[in-house]
Structure formats: C-alpha cells, structure tokens
Amino acid sequence: MNEFNEYFKSAFTVDNVIFGFDEGDLKVLLINRGEEPYKSKWALPGYFVYPNEDLDAAAKRVLDELTGLRNVYLEQVRTFGAVNRHPFGRVITVAYFSLIKISHYNIQPSSIAKKAKWHSISKVADLAFDHKEILEACFHRLKWLVRSRPVGFELLPPKFTLTELQHLYEAILETELDKRNFRKKILSMNLLIDLDETQEGVAHRPARLYKFDREKYEQFLAEGFSFELKESKKKEKKSRSKKVRANIAWKD
Amino acid sequence: MNEFNEYFKSAFTVDNVIFGFDEGDLKVLLINRGEEPYKSKWALPGYFVYPNEDLDAAAKRVLDELTGLRNVYLEQVRTFGAVNRHPFGRVITVAYFSLIKISHYNIQPSSIAKKAKWHSISKVADLAFDHKEILEACFHRLKWLVRSRPVGFELLPPKFTLTELQHLYEAILETELDKRNFRKKILSMNLLIDLDETQEGVAHRPARLYKFDREKYEQFLAEGFSFELKESKKKEKKSRSKKVRANIAWKD
DNA sequence: AATAGCTAGTGTACACCTTACACTAATTCC
DNA sequence: GGAATTAGTGTAAGGTGTACACTAGCTATT
C-alpha cells in the first residue's frame, strides 16, 4: 500500500488528554496499563492510528472507545517525536485534548487498560512514557484557551451556579479570581441564560442556576470578536470605509 | 529496529514554512519540486524524518540544509495527517515555521528542489499536496505570535527604522496601524536600542536607526509578563503575599 | 537659494477596561 | 432566634487603547 522506503517509516499514535471537572478539582482521565512497557503504570489513553484513518478521526475514535463520547471539544495540541520516547522502538504521537462533563459518562476501561480513572491534575505524579510532558503541554493549552475564549462550559453540568463556574476557572488557571469582577465579566458576555431556578438542599442562601447559551456562543465565534463594535458605538452615522485596525496585545 | 506491527507504520516528514520579509512584503520560501509527484509544482521545503532523529532536530536539519541557518526561531505548528494527502501513500507531516532575515542568507537549492525562491505571501497560488493549508495554518500562527509577543525583529536586518518595523507588522497582520500608537507601544517596551544613527541616502528626512535588545527580550520572556508589576507601582511598600491574580481576556 | 516633495517624528483627550475592595441577603442548622 | 454559611451587589481610580494633525529635516529641482 505504501511505496515509501521502509527506512523512513515509523509507528504512530494519538494520545488523548481528557479533562474533566468534579468536586472543585480539575481532573484528567488516565488508564492503568495492562501490558508492557510500563505495565501497571498510569498513562494517557492513546492508540495507534489506523492506516486508512485521518488523524483527527483517530483521536475521536480513541475518545469514543474510552468514553462513548462524540461531538466534544477536541483539539490537536502538539506532536511528540523524541527518538527514545518509547522503549520498544520509534513511535511518534500526536497529542489531543478534550473537555467533558464527568458526571455524564461512565468510563469503560478498554482492552489496553486494566482500569481507567480520573486523577486530580495537581496530584498526577509520574506517568508512562513522556506522558507527563504531554499532559503539561495540554494543560498549558487549556489555560490559554480558557483565557482567550469562554470555553469551560464544556466541563460543567447543564445547570450550574456562577460560583461553580468561577471555581472551574480558578482550578484551570491555578489562581484566585475576584468574585465581583468575575461575575461582571461573565455576565457582560451574555452567554449565560438565567434559568430562574435556585439550588436546593444547600445549607445556606441558594444560588441561582444558569445554563450556557450555545447559540450565542456560535454567533460569537462566527463574528470573530469583531473590532468594529467599539467604533460603531461612537459614531453610528459614519458607516463608510471602516478600516479595521489590529490590536497588538503582547500579553501571554 | 522497530518491533511494531508494520500495519501501523507510515512514512513521516517535516515541512518547513520559512518566513522572510523583503521590500515591504512578507515572503515564504518555496521550492520547485524536481520529482514526482507534483513535479515542477511549488511546495514547502520538507523531507523525511530520519529514524534516529528527534522531530525538532529534523526540522532544524531541513532548514539548515536549505538555508545554512542555525539558531533561528523554529516552532512546531501542527501535524497534518489526512489519509490521502500524499498520492503515493500515507505520509504524516509535522509543520514547523521559522523566521529569518532574507538579506543574510543565500538559499541553495537542495537535491529535491529544482530551485528555491521567495514568494510574496499574498501571491502564493496552488501548492503541491496540502501545502497551501499548511502555509495558512503557519501564517495564522505567525499572526497570533506577533500579537502576543514582540517577535518579528527576527525578520528585520540588524539595524532598522521604526517605520520598517511598522511595515513588517502591517504585512503580517494584513492591516494598517496608527503610526503614533505603534511607536508609543513599541518604545514603551524598552526592547529597542536607539543607535543614535540615521538612515543615509534617502531623499527625505532620514529616520533614526534602532536595534533589537535581545538581552531585555530574554529577561522579558523569563519574567513571564509578570502580573505583579502593575501592583507594585501602586503600593511599593507592601511586599508580602502578592497573590497573583489572573486576567481573563477573551480576545482573539 | 528658494521651493516642492517626501517621510520622520511628536502629544493629547476620551472611551473603555481592569482592578481593588466590603457589606447585605437568603437560607439551614442548632 | 441566633449562628453559620454562601450569594449577590456597585463604585472609584488607574491604566490601556484609540483617534487624530501638525511640524521637522532631508533631497531634488528649478
């Protein structure tokens, strides 16, 4: 099937970093390896890419096989190809990450895994292969992502309180946020729908419940954070050339 | 050497998107393919990754072989692995991009290339394989990069004027920038050293020449854009807990 | 030597965004 | 009914982004 010199061929895989959020903690799904190498060690769920399978499709398949999940946020992060990353030979792996609502899915360990389990990000120690490094790259990407667009709803149950949302952000960013400022910012985006319901069974003032407005979010992304809004508030009459000016931010 | 099932093996390559800047135009280095497939078509310079070679090393080698360049900005962007991206079989490719000063180097076409030539980004038409898509992904990354940190000096000669720098940014961002605001921003970062020299041989008021302060830049990156600076200007006395607070931007 | 042509270089005002910060409201538990 | 707990709210100050127009200094031309 493949005309290329065997010399240039190598095995390649996808590894999935699956983030979830539970009990106020950011978690990652790990499997306990059932075979050598690194037998009994924790590792990221991953598998070979089939020869007739696109890369993204492979990542989706692996996720699906592990969690039964489809249509989730899934993004390629980076490819790891150090010569000695796999003790049995050359294996290049493409890292993907995804965000899922833990409560929704039963994780069924697959054949490669003795068991699959959610681990708190902060408590993950050594992992098989270079998976710790892969995890860190993906965590870094998640941090960036969560700052640059209001993702993260992906990790919460359908109904949530603002405090829960804030805790999620704090867990991802590993920092504390100011309650009032956080709420102001979140609410100003109009991406939340106030459900006019409150929590039940809590031993304190119950919080309002919200859900995520997916439609507005799609719109939001489609508009690409248009620069022109700022202008048009000021001079609504002049709708002529509209020179779009770029903004140089230089923040991380 | 490799114990893995042949079934899961495939050829893999790196492709380099090498950006340069010349005559006010952002350019990309392309080679004209000397062999099938896509013979005589323009393509990104790329080659197989050797089995005993790390991925990043392969990208560096390809760049070096083409341009004689070492120690340049080189960053992995994304891996392209559609099943049919290569007509002769499955080939996964990892895309890297780099920034170089065109004037400094003589590009010597290698054996795979009939010739290598700089092309204006805006005029690149079809490319071999999925290289147009790869180019676009890298261009997008460059745009992002240039907004998020003051890279871009990499593309200019050692001495440059602020107007040249501005033109570079405009070429990358495909937009116009305000002269005064641009200068204010750039100068406020203290990353430029005023050489106290001026242009010669121009038929108008000569501009001051600057060079890039690499040391300050390293420092800048090392400090990680510290959040604390803002605080310390205000209350310089209280140097206690310094809770670092994150900033959520939600811009693109 | 005057002038035209060209690009360099500079400051300010306004809108908007970010940040810091503390008290009252609503509920349960005892 | 009071203690405990978390929800919920506004404002002032500083900083950043943006729009905008004129003078300065050099060459080339006459």
Side-chain angles (χ1 to χ4, degrees):
Chain A
M1 173 180 190
N2 228 327
E3 298 190 19
F4 299 100
N5 190 331
E6 289 303 320
Y7 183 69
F8 291 126
K9 286 191 178 182
S10 69
F12 82 110
T13 60
V14 287
D15 281 310
N16 256 291
V17 176
I18 305 167
F19 290 109
F21 183 68
D22 199 19
E23 298 162 3
D25 236 13
L26 187 66
K27 312 246 166 155
V28 61
L29 187 63
L30 299 177
I31 59 169
N32 198 282
R33 285 183 61 83
E35 15 178 286
E36 293 295 347
Y38 295 101
K39 190 168 179 179
S40 300
K41 276 240 161 197
W42 292 100
L44 296 171
Y47 199 64
F48 291 105
V49 175
Y50 299 145
N52 58 345
E53 182 182 48
D54 287 348
L55 217 45
D56 290 351
K60 273 185 201 161
R61 173 178 52 79
V62 171
L63 182 63
D64 184 11
E65 283 172 3
L66 254 148
T67 64
L69 261 185
R70 295 157 201 235
N71 290 323
V72 293
Y73 192 93
L74 192 69
E75 184 174 309
Q76 191 192 115
V77 175
R78 185 138 60 91
T79 296
F80 293 79
V83 171
N84 294 315
R85 58 176 298 282
H86 196 300
F88 288 3
R90 184 83 197 256
V91 185
I92 283 92
T93 196
V94 185
Y96 282 79
F97 86 88
S98 57
L99 305 175
I100 78 168
K101 303 187 208 299
I102 287 187
S103 51
H104 275 196
Y105 306 97
N106 285 323
I107 308 303
Q108 286 146 345
S110 71
S111 52
I112 13 160
K114 277 199 302 196
K115 53 186 176 185
K117 210 182 127 204
W118 291 101
H119 293 241
S120 285
I121 278 281
S122 55
K123 287 179 203 145
V124 172
D126 272 3
L127 295 180
F129 308 105
D130 53 359
H131 286 189
K132 190 75 193 284
E133 190 190 346
I134 296 177
L135 171 59
E136 267 154 23
C138 290
F139 186 31
H140 191 265
R141 178 72 139 258
L142 174 60
K143 272 185 192 173
W144 174 79
L145 193 77
V146 101
R147 272 160 181 259
S148 53
R149 59 198 55 180
V151 76
F153 305 103
E154 330 268 357
L155 293 165
L156 290 174
K159 300 178 180 186
F160 51 85
T161 70
L162 292 181
T163 301
E164 281 165 1
L165 185 59
Q166 182 177 342
H167 287 336
L168 168 60
Y169 272 77
E170 290 177 338
I172 294 175
L173 295 172
E174 296 182 298
T175 187
E176 282 177 37
L177 298 167
D178 180 273
K179 183 162 63 161
R180 280 180 283 197
N181 294 339
F182 179 78
R183 283 161 184 244
K184 209 186 310 172
K185 182 119 197 176
I186 289 284
L187 293 172
S188 73
M189 313 210 66
N190 290 321
L191 287 174
L192 295 187
I193 298 171
D194 186 338
L195 291 169
D196 247 313
E197 293 175 52
T198 51
Q199 280 179 308
E200 280 174 22
V202 288
H204 53 78
R205 174 174 177 177
R208 299 186 78 81
L209 293 169
Y210 292 84
K211 72 171 186 181
F212 178 46
D213 189 340
R214 187 163 293 276
E215 255 180 57
K216 280 232 182 90
Y217 181 61
E218 307 291 352
Q219 202 185 320
F220 193 79
L221 289 183
E223 282 169 8
F225 301 78
S226 97
F227 291 107
E228 300 167 40
L229 284 175
K230 282 175 192 166
E231 246 189 316
S232 53
K233 268 181 201 160
K234 214 176 154 187
K235 5 176 170 171
E236 298 210 335
K237 288 170 194 172
K238 302 185 188 179
S239 62
R240 19 176 164 159
S241 65
K242 285 197 186 176
K243 222 181 249 174
V244 175
R245 297 219 138 143
N247 168 15
I248 305 177
W250 286 320
K251 280 182 202 164
D252 194 42
Chain B
M1 174 184 189
N2 229 328
E3 298 189 20
F4 300 100
N5 189 332
E6 288 304 317
Y7 183 69
F8 290 126
K9 286 191 178 182
S10 67
F12 81 111
T13 60
V14 287
D15 282 309
N16 256 292
V17 176
I18 304 167
F19 290 109
F21 183 68
D22 199 20
E23 296 161 4
D25 237 13
L26 188 66
K27 313 244 166 156
V28 60
L29 186 64
L30 299 176
I31 59 169
N32 198 281
R33 285 182 61 83
E35 19 178 284
E36 293 294 347
Y38 297 101
K39 190 169 178 178
S40 299
K41 276 237 163 199
W42 291 100
L44 296 171
Y47 199 65
F48 291 104
V49 175
Y50 299 143
N52 58 345
E53 182 182 48
D54 288 348
L55 218 45
D56 290 350
K60 272 185 202 161
R61 173 179 52 78
V62 171
L63 182 64
D64 184 11
E65 284 172 4
L66 254 147
T67 64
L69 261 186
R70 295 157 200 234
N71 290 323
V72 293
Y73 192 92
L74 192 70
E75 182 172 311
Q76 190 192 113
V77 174
R78 185 140 57 92
T79 296
F80 293 78
V83 172
N84 294 314
R85 58 175 298 281
H86 196 299
F88 289 1
R90 186 81 196 261
V91 185
I92 283 93
T93 196
V94 184
Y96 280 79
F97 86 88
S98 56
L99 305 175
I100 78 167
K101 304 187 206 299
I102 287 187
S103 50
H104 275 195
Y105 306 98
N106 285 322
I107 307 303
Q108 288 146 344
S110 71
S111 52
I112 13 159
K114 277 200 302 196
K115 53 186 176 186
K117 211 182 127 205
W118 291 101
H119 292 240
S120 284
I121 278 281
S122 55
K123 287 179 201 144
V124 172
D126 272 3
L127 295 180
F129 309 104
D130 53 358
H131 286 189
K132 190 74 192 285
E133 191 190 344
I134 296 177
L135 172 58
E136 268 155 23
C138 289
F139 187 29
H140 191 266
R141 177 72 141 259
L142 174 60
K143 271 186 192 172
W144 174 79
L145 193 76
V146 103
R147 273 162 180 259
S148 53
R149 60 198 55 182
V151 76
F153 305 103
E154 330 268 357
L155 294 164
L156 290 174
K159 299 178 180 187
F160 52 84
T161 69
L162 292 181
T163 301
E164 282 164 1
L165 186 59
Q166 182 177 342
H167 288 335
L168 168 61
Y169 273 76
E170 290 177 338
I172 294 174
L173 295 172
E174 297 182 298
T175 187
E176 283 177 36
L177 298 167
D178 180 90
K179 184 163 63 161
R180 280 181 283 195
N181 295 338
F182 180 78
R183 282 163 185 243
K184 209 186 308 173
K185 183 117 196 177
I186 288 286
L187 293 173
S188 74
M189 312 210 67
N190 291 319
L191 288 174
L192 296 187
I193 297 171
D194 185 339
L195 290 169
D196 248 311
E197 293 174 54
T198 51
Q199 281 178 308
E200 280 173 22
V202 287
H204 54 78
R205 175 175 175 179
R208 299 186 79 82
L209 292 170
Y210 292 84
K211 73 171 187 181
F212 178 46
D213 189 339
R214 187 162 293 276
E215 253 181 58
K216 281 232 182 90
Y217 181 62
E218 307 291 354
Q219 201 183 320
F220 193 78
L221 289 183
E223 281 169 9
F225 300 80
S226 96
F227 292 106
E228 302 168 37
L229 284 176
K230 283 176 194 166
E231 245 190 316
S232 55
K233 268 181 203 161
K234 216 175 151 188
K235 6 176 169 170
E236 299 210 335
K237 288 169 193 172
K238 302 185 187 179
S239 63
R240 19 176 164 158
S241 67
K242 285 199 187 176
K243 224 180 247 171
V244 176
R245 297 218 137 141
N247 169 15
I248 304 176
W250 287 320
K251 281 183 201 165
D252 196 40

